[in-house]
Tab-separated table of all heavy atoms in Angstrom:
chain	number	residue	atom	x	y	z
Z	11	TYR	N	111.753	109.409	89.348
Z	11	TYR	CA	110.542	110.108	89.780
Z	11	TYR	C	109.932	109.406	91.000
Z	11	TYR	O	109.605	110.052	92.001
Z	11	TYR	CB	109.547	110.164	88.621
Z	11	TYR	CG	108.265	110.870	88.953
Z	11	TYR	CD1	108.225	112.257	89.113
Z	11	TYR	CD2	107.082	110.166	89.114
Z	11	TYR	CE1	107.046	112.914	89.421
Z	11	TYR	CE2	105.899	110.804	89.418
Z	11	TYR	CZ	105.882	112.177	89.574
Z	11	TYR	OH	104.716	112.812	89.886
Z	12	SER	N	109.798	108.094	90.925
Z	12	SER	CA	109.210	107.319	92.028
Z	12	SER	C	110.057	107.399	93.285
Z	12	SER	O	109.537	107.566	94.387
Z	12	SER	CB	109.047	105.857	91.608
Z	12	SER	OG	108.228	105.751	90.479
Z	14	GLY	N	112.085	109.767	94.095
Z	14	GLY	CA	111.955	111.119	94.632
Z	14	GLY	C	110.722	111.272	95.504
Z	14	GLY	O	110.777	111.879	96.583
Z	40	PHE	N	106.710	88.097	91.973
Z	40	PHE	CA	105.399	87.466	91.779
Z	40	PHE	C	104.947	87.636	90.327
Z	40	PHE	O	104.376	86.712	89.736
Z	40	PHE	CB	104.355	88.062	92.723
Z	40	PHE	CG	104.598	87.788	94.177
Z	40	PHE	CD1	104.317	88.763	95.121
Z	40	PHE	CD2	105.088	86.573	94.625
Z	40	PHE	CE1	104.517	88.531	96.471
Z	40	PHE	CE2	105.293	86.322	95.979
Z	40	PHE	CZ	105.003	87.303	96.904
Z	49	LYS	N	103.248	81.232	80.525
Z	49	LYS	CA	103.950	80.718	79.342
Z	49	LYS	C	104.049	79.198	79.377
Z	49	LYS	O	103.876	78.525	78.361
Z	49	LYS	CB	105.351	81.341	79.251
Z	49	LYS	CG	105.348	82.776	78.795
Z	49	LYS	CD	106.766	83.289	78.660
Z	49	LYS	CE	106.801	84.659	78.032
Z	49	LYS	NZ	108.188	85.129	77.834
Z	50	GLU	N	104.318	78.675	80.558
Z	50	GLU	CA	104.396	77.218	80.697
Z	50	GLU	C	103.054	76.571	80.353
Z	50	GLU	O	103.003	75.530	79.698
Z	50	GLU	CB	104.813	76.860	82.122
Z	50	GLU	CG	104.966	75.371	82.354
Z	50	GLU	CD	105.418	75.045	83.753
Z	50	GLU	OE1	105.827	75.953	84.498
Z	50	GLU	OE2	105.363	73.851	84.102
Z	54	LEU	N	105.109	77.240	76.223
Z	54	LEU	CA	106.174	78.132	75.748
Z	54	LEU	C	107.366	78.158	76.698
Z	54	LEU	O	107.986	79.180	76.918
Z	54	LEU	CB	105.620	79.552	75.565
Z	54	LEU	CG	104.457	79.684	74.594
Z	54	LEU	CD1	103.890	81.098	74.624
Z	54	LEU	CD2	104.878	79.293	73.191
Z	69	GLN	N	113.659	84.591	95.486
Z	69	GLN	CA	113.723	86.040	95.691
Z	69	GLN	C	112.458	86.561	96.357
Z	69	GLN	O	112.523	87.415	97.246
Z	69	GLN	CB	113.963	86.751	94.347
Z	69	GLN	CG	115.340	86.483	93.786
Z	69	GLN	CD	115.442	86.776	92.304
Z	69	GLN	OE1	114.464	86.709	91.562
Z	69	GLN	NE2	116.656	87.075	91.855
Z	80	MET	N	110.714	94.316	108.781
Z	80	MET	CA	110.252	95.704	108.877
Z	80	MET	C	108.939	95.797	109.647
Z	80	MET	O	108.704	96.777	110.355
Z	80	MET	CB	110.114	96.331	107.495
Z	80	MET	CG	111.437	96.508	106.789
Z	80	MET	SD	112.685	97.276	107.842
Z	80	MET	CE	114.137	96.447	107.253
Z	84	ASN	N	107.802	97.906	113.342
Z	84	ASN	CA	106.642	98.808	113.236
Z	84	ASN	C	106.620	99.643	111.956
Z	84	ASN	O	106.062	100.731	111.938
Z	84	ASN	CB	106.535	99.714	114.466
Z	84	ASN	CG	106.293	98.916	115.726
Z	84	ASN	OD1	105.525	97.951	115.710
Z	84	ASN	ND2	106.951	99.287	116.800
Z	93	PHE	N	98.067	101.899	103.228
Z	93	PHE	CA	97.224	102.301	102.104
Z	93	PHE	C	98.090	102.606	100.876
Z	93	PHE	O	97.830	102.123	99.772
Z	93	PHE	CB	96.388	103.522	102.497
Z	93	PHE	CG	95.461	104.000	101.424
Z	93	PHE	CD1	94.191	103.461	101.307
Z	93	PHE	CD2	95.849	104.991	100.531
Z	93	PHE	CE1	93.320	103.895	100.310
Z	93	PHE	CE2	94.995	105.431	99.532
Z	93	PHE	CZ	93.721	104.879	99.428
Z	94	PHE	N	99.115	103.415	101.078
Z	94	PHE	CA	100.015	103.804	99.988
Z	94	PHE	C	100.680	102.579	99.370
Z	94	PHE	O	100.659	102.387	98.146
Z	94	PHE	CB	101.056	104.798	100.522
Z	94	PHE	CG	102.086	105.219	99.509
Z	94	PHE	CD1	101.742	106.003	98.421
Z	94	PHE	CD2	103.412	104.850	99.668
Z	94	PHE	CE1	102.688	106.402	97.490
Z	94	PHE	CE2	104.375	105.248	98.741
Z	94	PHE	CZ	104.009	106.015	97.652
Z	97	HIS	N	98.248	100.000	97.519
Z	97	HIS	CA	97.743	100.478	96.237
Z	97	HIS	C	98.864	100.567	95.199
Z	97	HIS	O	98.670	100.225	94.035
Z	97	HIS	CB	97.026	101.826	96.399
Z	97	HIS	CG	95.700	101.668	97.047
Z	97	HIS	ND1	95.549	101.522	98.403
Z	97	HIS	CD2	94.458	101.583	96.513
Z	97	HIS	CE1	94.267	101.368	98.684
Z	97	HIS	NE2	93.580	101.406	97.564
Z	132	TYR	N	119.513	101.333	102.077
Z	132	TYR	CA	120.008	100.650	103.277
Z	132	TYR	C	121.418	101.117	103.631
Z	132	TYR	O	121.754	101.284	104.801
Z	132	TYR	CB	119.967	99.129	103.090
Z	132	TYR	CG	118.564	98.583	103.116
Z	132	TYR	CD1	118.054	97.868	102.040
Z	132	TYR	CD2	117.741	98.779	104.213
Z	132	TYR	CE1	116.762	97.369	102.059
Z	132	TYR	CE2	116.449	98.286	104.242
Z	132	TYR	CZ	115.966	97.576	103.172
Z	132	TYR	OH	114.692	97.087	103.199
Z	138	LEU	N	124.377	106.759	108.208
Z	138	LEU	CA	123.882	107.922	108.943
Z	138	LEU	C	123.232	107.605	110.284
Z	138	LEU	O	123.203	108.463	111.163
Z	138	LEU	CB	122.877	108.695	108.080
Z	138	LEU	CG	123.400	109.202	106.743
Z	138	LEU	CD1	122.270	109.792	105.923
Z	138	LEU	CD2	124.509	110.212	106.958
Z	145	GLN	N	120.689	93.239	111.032
Z	145	GLN	CA	119.589	92.865	110.137
Z	145	GLN	C	119.602	93.712	108.872
Z	145	GLN	O	119.384	93.183	107.777
Z	145	GLN	CB	118.239	93.008	110.842
Z	145	GLN	CG	117.963	91.900	111.830
Z	145	GLN	CD	116.574	92.026	112.429
Z	145	GLN	OE1	116.161	93.117	112.822
Z	145	GLN	NE2	115.869	90.912	112.524
Z	152	ASP	N	121.471	90.930	100.842
Z	152	ASP	CA	120.484	90.202	100.032
Z	152	ASP	C	120.103	91.003	98.798
Z	152	ASP	O	119.993	90.442	97.694
Z	152	ASP	CB	119.223	89.913	100.849
Z	152	ASP	CG	119.422	88.907	101.959
Z	152	ASP	OD1	120.441	88.169	101.954
Z	152	ASP	OD2	118.543	88.854	102.849
Z	156	HIS	N	120.325	90.173	94.855
Z	156	HIS	CA	119.214	90.249	93.905
Z	156	HIS	C	119.630	90.981	92.634
Z	156	HIS	O	119.218	90.599	91.530
Z	156	HIS	CB	117.988	90.932	94.522
Z	156	HIS	CG	117.337	90.153	95.601
Z	156	HIS	ND1	117.113	88.799	95.555
Z	156	HIS	CD2	116.855	90.556	96.802
Z	156	HIS	CE1	116.515	88.404	96.656
Z	156	HIS	NE2	116.357	89.453	97.440
Z	166	LEU	N	120.387	85.459	80.586
Z	166	LEU	CA	119.837	84.169	80.140
Z	166	LEU	C	118.767	84.333	79.059
Z	166	LEU	O	118.668	83.501	78.160
Z	166	LEU	CB	119.240	83.399	81.318
Z	166	LEU	CG	120.223	82.792	82.293
Z	166	LEU	CD1	119.475	82.198	83.487
Z	166	LEU	CD2	121.075	81.733	81.616
Side-chain angles (χ1 to χ4, degrees):
Y11 180 72
S12 301
F40 294 143
K49 285 183 172 183
E50 182 178 348
L54 301 173
Q69 292 161 333
M80 293 312 146
N84 297 320
F93 181 87
F94 177 68
H97 286 80
Y132 288 122
L138 301 173
Q145 285 184 315
D152 291 344
H156 292 317
L166 287 174

